[in-house]
Amino acid sequence: MSWVVLFAFSLAFFFVLLFLLSRFVGYMKKEQNMEIESFRDTLIDKDNPVGLTGEELQKLKDQQAEAQRHLREVIARIPVVQKDGRFQVDEEEIRRRKSSGLVNGASDKAGKDPR
């Protein structure tokens, strides 16, 4: 039973201290004409989640844009057909390209060992 009284007293004391601290912070903000930023606002910047400098961020964005362009080009080279409402790789087109000597836009000789 005594621990319940002690817990209630400590909880009440904690809330009194919390109230006094909030009053003190409010007084200091008013006295010094300050504005305190929300901690949530400082955590993550949506445009810059890793905290890079402007130059590094722009360089990273450029690299990612170039990688996206390259990926679009590579995906566009893959022959696909729509069968049963689904896109599938066109195996006949791949066989035709292999027989004509072109694989991914390059000749088969490029991948062979010159020895």
Side-chain angles (χ1 to χ4, degrees):
M1 183 68 175
S2 65
W3 67 270
V4 174
V5 173
L6 184 61
F7 180 71
F9 176 74
S10 62
L11 202 56
F13 184 69
F14 173 74
F15 283 116
V16 166
L17 286 177
L18 196 61
F19 174 74
L20 290 174
L21 178 66
S22 68
R23 295 288 297 228
F24 175 72
V25 169
Y27 171 76
M28 291 305 289
K29 281 174 41 179
K30 183 177 138 189
E31 189 69 27
Q32 296 181 4
N33 196 18
M34 290 175 47
E35 184 176 326
I36 297 178
E37 294 181 2
S38 169
F39 186 64
R40 182 179 294 173
D41 295 340
T42 61
L43 285 179
I44 296 177
D45 182 10
K46 293 175 187 169
D47 295 330
N48 190 5
V50 291
L52 298 173
T53 63
E55 296 171 0
E56 294 171 336
L57 181 64
Q58 190 59 41
K59 185 176 179 182
L60 183 63
K61 285 182 179 180
D62 292 341
Q63 287 176 349
Q64 289 176 347
E66 180 63 32
Q68 287 292 325
R69 279 192 296 273
H70 177 68
L71 185 60
R72 271 189 239 109
E73 290 173 6
V74 169
I75 290 174
R77 291 183 198 159
I78 299 172
V80 293
V81 290
Q82 189 172 3
K83 293 180 184 175
D84 301 326
R86 297 174 62 186
F87 287 101
Q88 298 177 352
V89 176
D90 189 4
E91 295 176 12
E92 293 174 16
E93 177 67 21
I94 292 176
R95 280 190 218 113
R96 188 181 63 76
R97 286 184 184 179
K98 282 184 179 179
S99 66
S100 68
L102 294 176
V103 177
N104 289 334
S107 66
D108 275 338
K109 294 179 183 178
K112 294 187 177 184
D113 193 11
R115 288 186 251 168

